[in-house]
């Protein structure tokens, strides 16, 4: 059982690493971004409110996001632990999370930070393609489809996500630097922070994390 938090700049390649860790440790995935996208798709009150901020590229207000996370931590069975992904995004959220975990007697084991420099990030985002039909993701340099521009899975023409445009990426980086980067210092003080090199292949990073975590767990027993 392991409770983790995964952080990184937008586009750092968190998604691929997260899915490997989720599978390996059989974790419950708590992604506030996914939750908001689902609520928006359902047209719920939460979705409608969140959409106002998300469509502007802004963060949703802390109270709303904190409430959603608390509800899940409190009510959702997570026998193998959880991965918080995309939360906390601000220091106020981190403080709220600490309080929630304390109230619920839950221990956080590790905060994984994927570190990538901005330049590499801009290149990666520009190379990203997604299938609008089945959601499969590609990268024209590192993970190209068999036929250029066409989805391997369903044959649909690939597109660039609207929020992968250069302007949008720059804006998300600005928000990250302003609101989220201060969290690194916050978690550094707790000794939970594990920074990994996001420029390395995902599998390399994955094995590094697993071996460190297994080492930590062995130390406990
Ligand atoms: P993501 O897929 O994690 O990039 O999230 C998509 C959007 O949802 C973000 O750009 C924010 O507008 C919103 N969002 C997701 N998580 C949070 C959070 N922890 N705090 C505030 N807004 C969030």
């Amino acid at each position: 059982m392991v409770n983790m938090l995964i952080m990184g700049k937008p586009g750092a390649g968190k998604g691929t690493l997260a899915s490997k860790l989720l599978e390996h440790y059989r974790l419950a995935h708590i992604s506030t971004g996914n939750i908001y996208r689902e609520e928006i798709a359902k047209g719920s009150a939460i979705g409608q409110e969140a959409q106002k901020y998300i469509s502007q590229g802004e963060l949703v207000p802390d109270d709303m996001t904190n409430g959603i996370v608390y509800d899940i931590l409190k009510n959702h069975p997570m026998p193998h632990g959880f991965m918080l992904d995309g939360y906390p995004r601000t220091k106020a959220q981190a403080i709220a999370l600490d309080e929630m975990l304390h109230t619920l007697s839950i221990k956080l084991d590790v905060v994984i930070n994927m570190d990538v420099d901005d330049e590499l990030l801009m290149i990666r985002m520009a190379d990203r393609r997604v299938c609008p039909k089945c959601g499969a993701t590609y990268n024209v340099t590192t993970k190209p489809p068999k036929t250029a521009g066409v989805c391997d899975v369903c044959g649909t023409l690939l597109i660039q996500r609207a929020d992968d445009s250069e302007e949008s990426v720059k804006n998300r980086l600005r928000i990250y630097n302003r609101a989220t980067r201060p969290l690194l210092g916050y978690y550094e003080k707790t000794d939970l922070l594990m920074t990994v090199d996001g420029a390395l292949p995902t599998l390399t990073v994955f094995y590094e994390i697993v071996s460190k975590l297994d080492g930590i767990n062995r130390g406990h027993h």
Side-chain angles (χ1 to χ4, degrees), residues 1-4 82 101 105-110 192 220:
M1 151 129 185
V2 52
N3 294 326
M4 63 171 74
F82 60 78
L101 294 175
S105 299
I106 297 172
K107 188 173 143 288
L108 189 63
D109 297 297
V110 65
L192 293 177
H220 281 178

Side-chain angles (χ1 to χ4, degrees), residues 32-33 36-37 53-54 58-60 65 86-89 93:
T32 44
Y36 283 134
R37 277 182 288 275
Y53 301 91
I54 295 175
E58 296 298 326
L59 295 177
V60 177
T65 312
Y87 178 94
R89 281 272 235 290
Q93 289 181 13

